[in-house]
Amino acid sequence: MVRYCTIGVVVVFGLATVARSQETDAPTTQPADAEPHGAKDELMRLRFSDLYLGFESDVETRRVRSTRSGRPDSLHKNNDLRFKEYVGLRLDGDVLDPNLLSFDLGGEFGLTQSRFRETIDRDTQTENDDGFLGDFNLSFDALSNKPVSFHGHARRSDDRIDRRFLPSLREQRTEMGVSSLIQTDSVTTELGLSWDDVERYGNQSGEDDETLDTKRAYISSTWDIAENHRLKLNYDHEREENTYQGSNFDYQTNRDELRLDHELAFGGQDQHRMDTYLRINDERGDLARDEVDFVPRLSLQHTEDFRTIWRYGFYRYEDGDFELDQHKVDGEALWQVTDELRATLDGFLLYERPDDGLDVDEYGGGLDLDYGKDTSLGRLTVNAAAAFEQQRFRGGGGLRFVRNEVHQLGGVRLAQLNNWPVRRGSIVAYNTSRTRFYVNGIDYQAVFVGGRALIDRIPTGRITEGEAVHFDYAYEIPAGSRLDTWRTDLLVEHAFEFGLTPYYYLEGRFQDADGSIGTPILRDNQARHRAGARYERDLWRVGAEYELFDDTVEPFDAFHLTGQASLFRSSAHTLDATTELSRYDFDGGTDARNVWWFDAALRDRAQITEYLAGFANVEYRFEDDSRDGDTHGVDLACGLSYTRGQLTLELTVEYDLLNIGTNHESGVGVYLNMRRSLTELLPSQEVTR
């Protein structure tokens, strides 16, 4: 039902825009010095910008040795050899007039040859593959100076993706799309279709293979009702069909989303604003969910230094047989007390009604003070915040769902989902744009301790070091319970003029559950103290920090030493280095272990001669975990680039090593690219017909 209503709104809005554009598309008078179209005899103009020959070769070898208790070691070898010979051409042009139809075209055509050899213990397989290469890049613009204009593109590329401490991946990508822009005095509308197909592959075994296929139709229209009044409509239809790396996990879904944004500024100087946001999302397929968001927001600028914001939010969520309605009212006051002091006061009320008989009431508020003042020695910064919230759960108990909770994965510490006890099997992890879902056991590992879900990034998966990952999950609520939470934050630092900045940072969360109910598992107290200093100069900086994390689940204390330096800095040579040394002592909340962590990187760029340039990147990772053993990671890449006249040569050598416990994985890749420009063979003048 939502889908058909959405399509109806889009069609009506689009037809109204087209009708408006036809009414205003009156003939325009050409400038006196403009040359009439009839005076031109050329039907088409072509301008050749590049013609070249190219050759590429890739040689890769990889060894994976696994030690298994009570069984012989397993050895897995891969040897890959690829060649590519191609000719490339780039040109642009137009038909009759650049404003009528202009285009840009580039293409590479040639042959490819591949040979793969795989040995697993004593079993060897070989495979040869020959094919035709066709990469292209086409774009066009039509009627670019008219109220109704068009744009299109088609691209196909074959690239190599570098991965830290892991072998490079090959990525073949095909994109196509067409869009139309309709403009009138007050309405601007864009309609489009696009298709994006990505294939990633690493070796003959297929352990790195994945395909991502996305088809999209969309409309975006903005109506400037007045100078201070705007209405915007967005509608998206997407279909995704994905197969994920190293697993049999497939993800398919159809998604229809309608979004309306209304903005109105009012007041004597348009100092007040009324914003309204409506989003309707309808999904079918794997991991489907239907959502409705409605949020009107009123911002009032009472004085130059005092502003208040008032919001009401309605959220409806449907997932299979589960339904949830949520209402939230909140207010925020921002006061610039003095030039040095800013205060923020906020409060909220929330009511949530799932369909399983569990009612949730929440209320809370907080105060945030931010103070900054220049002193005779530098600048002092202080930020202090305190907040309280209470949650009451009435009914027979049940599940509460969390959406879009964000955690940064990587490093020694495991990420902890904020609420517990987490229902096993309910965790869904995805990237920021929700276009890629991550698989438990392939990309991350969920460890459950006393109902708490701890998330560990798997180094060989698709989640990069330090990536922000979003989580949906469900957690259990006991009947008739109440939870009070106090939060405190404090930051004090002083930046001295000579470069030293000492600081102290406190993050605290303290909870109390109603003791008469007997639900101590809900209590989750945390107090994180960080005290340290950093010293910065023009070309280098160092830092030291002591960290104490007093946590109900996994407490620890740690120290960190960091450094960054530009060892050389000139137009011909740059050499940069970064390093981090950390020590973690976990106190045995979920486990007792000690971890040493060392990370270092060196990046060198040099112009050796007039024609020859080189680079070298070295990264090293060492982790000594008293429970899980040692981890070593090495990533080395170096290369030379020679450019003289029309000839370009590039040679790159990569070596990667990742040893985790008793598993040892290493690989070497050599990549040679040669390109010879033949632009001297191209016409010196544009070709006309």
Side-chain angles (χ1 to χ4, degrees):
M1 182 66 182
V2 171
R3 181 168 71 258
Y4 298 117
C5 292
T6 299
I7 294 175
V9 172
V10 170
V11 171
V12 171
F13 205 99
L15 291 177
T17 303
V18 173
R20 182 69 176 272
S21 69
Q22 291 175 347
E23 294 175 1
T24 59
D25 190 11
T28 57
T29 304
Q30 289 183 331
D33 57 348
E35 184 181 1
H37 290 297
K40 297 183 179 180
D41 297 329
E42 302 87 5
L43 175 64
M44 177 184 295
R45 283 179 293 273
L46 296 177
R47 293 172 291 274
F48 294 89
S49 58
D50 199 5
L51 175 66
Y52 56 89
L53 293 174
F55 169 79
E56 295 183 10
S57 69
D58 299 354
V59 180
E60 298 175 342
T61 179
R62 188 150 202 86
R63 294 167 57 93
V64 180
R65 180 182 295 277
S66 301
T67 301
R68 299 170 293 185
S69 177
R71 301 174 59 187
D73 292 354
S74 174
L75 181 61
H76 187 168
K77 299 180 182 178
N78 282 95
N79 295 288
D80 302 344
L81 178 63
R82 299 181 180 90
F83 294 101
K84 181 168 72 172
E85 311 89 23
Y86 58 90
V87 58
L89 175 68
R90 291 198 63 86
L91 58 89
D92 62 85
D94 56 78
V95 176
L96 290 180
D97 186 275
N99 292 320
L100 176 64
L101 177 63
S102 61
F103 57 88
D104 188 289
L105 173 63
E108 293 182 358
F109 309 94
L111 301 174
T112 63
Q113 305 88 42
S114 304
R115 177 178 174 83
F116 306 102
R117 179 184 178 89
E118 182 179 54
T119 302
I120 301 178
D121 295 330
R122 297 183 179 180
D123 184 18
T124 300
Q125 300 181 51
T126 60
E127 178 183 326
N128 296 322
D129 185 20
D130 301 326
F132 177 76
L133 168 70
D135 291 347
F136 53 86
N137 189 334
L138 167 66
S139 64
F140 72 87
D141 292 284
L143 305 176
S144 57
N145 64 341
K146 299 296 182 181
V148 181
S149 59
F150 300 89
H151 172 78
H153 71 273
R155 304 183 185 95
R156 183 173 181 176
S157 60
D158 190 348
D159 301 309
R160 182 168 55 87
I161 303 175
D162 185 34
R163 299 187 297 173
R164 195 181 189 200
F165 307 127
L166 291 171
S168 296
L169 284 181
R170 307 295 305 195
E171 179 182 272
Q172 190 174 85
R173 186 166 197 154
T174 306
E175 301 175 77
M176 294 183 183
V178 62
S179 63
S180 176
L181 187 66
I182 307 169
Q183 295 177 299
T184 69
D185 291 338
S186 59
V187 180
T188 300
T189 302
E190 182 181 3
L191 306 96
L193 299 170
S194 66
W195 172 61
D196 188 3
D197 180 74
V198 178
E199 296 185 13
R200 297 190 177 100
Y201 52 95
N203 48 45
Q204 184 189 24
S205 66
E207 63 184 15
D208 296 317
D209 292 2
E210 64 180 10
T211 61
L212 310 173
D213 185 272
T214 304
K215 301 178 181 69
R216 179 180 179 230
Y218 64 93
I219 178 173
S220 176
S221 189
T222 301
W223 180 17
D224 291 319
I225 303 171
E227 183 179 356
N228 56 359
H229 194 185
R230 173 179 296 181
L231 177 65
K232 185 174 183 180
L233 175 146
N234 287 285
Y235 168 73
D236 273 277
H237 170 76
E238 285 188 348
R239 177 175 176 81
E240 294 184 32
E241 298 178 0
N242 303 331
T243 302
Y244 289 114
Q245 175 195 55
S247 72
N248 295 321
F249 180 79
D250 295 334
Y251 168 68
Q252 299 183 12
T253 188
N254 287 335
R255 180 186 302 115
D256 291 279
E257 182 175 286
L258 173 68
R259 174 168 175 164
L260 287 170
D261 292 274
H262 179 257
E263 302 174 8
L264 174 64
F266 61 95
Q269 299 178 341
D270 291 339
Q271 71 272 28
H272 309 308
R273 295 185 65 87
M274 181 68 189
D275 304 317
T276 304
Y277 161 63
L278 172 65
R279 183 177 70 96
I280 303 174
N281 181 74
D282 180 21
E283 294 185 17
R284 299 162 308 285
D286 300 325
L287 303 177
R289 61 179 184 177
D290 298 336
E291 296 173 292
V292 176
D293 269 320
F294 176 64
V295 183
R297 181 182 66 176
L298 176 64
S299 301
L300 301 175
Q301 190 74 44
H302 303 279
T303 67
E304 183 179 353
D305 299 322
F306 183 65
R307 179 163 62 104
T308 59
I309 302 174
W310 308 92
R311 277 180 295 260
Y312 164 74
F314 170 76
Y315 177 66
R316 180 173 180 81
Y317 176 84
E318 297 181 27
D319 183 358
D321 297 330
F322 179 81
E323 295 183 3
L324 165 71
D325 287 339
Q326 185 184 92
H327 303 267
K328 183 178 181 181
V329 178
D330 66 274
E332 186 178 17
L334 301 93
W335 181 23
Q336 189 70 43
V337 184
T338 66
D339 292 340
E340 294 85 13
L341 178 63
R342 184 179 71 246
T344 303
L345 178 67
D346 63 82
F348 74 93
L349 294 170
L350 181 146
Y351 172 72
E352 185 176 297
R353 172 73 179 182
D355 65 350
D356 59 358
L358 173 69
D359 288 345
V360 181
D361 294 319
E362 286 188 41
Y363 73 90
L367 175 65
D368 185 288
L369 299 174
D370 191 77
Y371 179 78
K373 181 177 178 60
D374 292 328
T375 68
S376 60
L377 300 176
R379 182 169 181 80
L380 173 66
T381 301
V382 179
N383 179 263
F388 169 79
E389 66 180 54
Q390 183 178 96
Q391 299 172 314
R392 289 181 176 269
F393 307 98
R394 301 191 308 272
L399 294 178
R400 194 178 190 194
F401 283 76
V402 178
R403 302 298 167 198
N404 206 34
E405 183 175 302
V406 184
H407 292 276
Q408 193 174 38
L409 300 189
V412 175
R413 287 182 56 197
L414 304 186
Q416 302 178 14
L417 298 185
N418 292 339
N419 300 281
W420 61 322
V422 174
R423 172 66 63 91
R424 291 177 181 266
S426 69
I427 300 175
V428 179
Y430 50 94
N431 65 351
T432 300
S433 59
R434 199 177 163 84
T435 57
R436 171 176 288 191
F437 286 82
Y438 299 119
V439 183
N440 188 16
I442 299 295
D443 302 308
Y444 70 93
Q445 188 70 47
V447 181
F448 292 88
V449 179
R452 168 70 77 184
L454 307 178
I455 307 298
D456 189 15
R457 168 184 169 267
I458 297 178
T460 55
R462 295 167 302 147
I463 300 174
T464 59
E465 180 83 24
E467 180 179 349
V469 178
H470 298 244
F471 292 91
D472 296 347
Y473 62 94
Y475 68 100
E476 299 175 2
I477 299 296
S481 58
R482 189 196 73 196
L483 182 66
D484 296 334
T485 303
W486 294 266
R487 301 177 189 272
T488 58
D489 289 273
L490 176 64
L491 169 65
V492 180
E493 71 173 31
H494 191 284
F496 291 95
E497 294 180 351
F498 62 87
L500 179 65
T501 304
Y503 62 88
Y504 170 73
Y505 187 29
L506 166 66
E507 300 171 88
R509 181 178 69 187
F510 311 97
Q511 294 185 332
D512 184 31
D514 192 329
S516 63
I517 303 172
T519 55
I521 196 171
L522 286 174
R523 298 188 182 97
D524 185 12
N525 298 329
Q526 292 182 353
R528 186 183 182 192
H529 305 265
R530 296 165 55 195
R534 57 183 180 270
Y535 185 73
E536 302 181 61
R537 306 303 296 168
D538 292 339
L539 297 178
W540 57 273
R541 65 181 181 185
V542 294
E545 178 181 282
Y546 174 73
E547 182 178 10
L548 175 62
F549 189 56
D550 185 8
D551 180 48
T552 305
V553 179
E554 192 171 30
F556 70 88
D557 61 280
F559 72 83
H560 313 281
L561 300 176
T562 59
Q564 180 177 341
S566 294
L567 304 179
F568 295 102
R569 181 69 61 185
S570 70
S571 59
H573 188 197
T574 61
L575 178 61
D576 299 318
T578 59
T579 185
E580 176 187 346
L581 175 65
S582 296
R583 162 77 176 190
Y584 292 83
D585 292 311
F586 293 90
D587 298 333
T590 58
D591 60 351
R593 59 190 175 109
N594 302 317
V595 180
W596 280 98
W597 170 282
F598 178 70
D599 210 354
L602 192 67
R603 296 175 176 84
D604 190 21
R605 298 287 187 276
Q607 187 69 38
I608 302 172
T609 68
E610 180 182 356
Y611 310 107
L612 184 64
F615 78 94
N617 296 334
V618 181
E619 297 185 56
Y620 176 69
R621 163 78 53 79
F622 171 70
E623 182 179 346
D624 180 9
D625 192 313
S626 60
R627 184 193 63 189
D628 298 330
D630 294 346
T631 296
H632 291 272
V634 176
D635 196 291
L636 169 65
C638 58
L640 295 172
S641 176
Y642 179 81
T643 303
R644 186 165 188 173
Q646 306 295 326
L647 177 65
T648 300
L649 290 171
E650 293 181 353
L651 175 65
T652 302
V653 179
E654 291 184 356
Y655 171 77
D656 60 84
L657 167 73
L658 184 60
N659 291 343
I660 303 177
T662 59
N663 296 322
H664 308 278
E665 183 174 354
S666 63
V668 177
V670 181
Y671 311 98
L672 174 65
N673 296 335
M674 178 176 64
R675 172 170 159 161
R676 174 62 165 88
S677 178
L678 303 175
T679 52
E680 67 271 12
L681 302 180
L682 295 174
S684 58
Q685 303 292 330
E686 67 180 21
V687 179
T688 60
R689 296 187 63 184

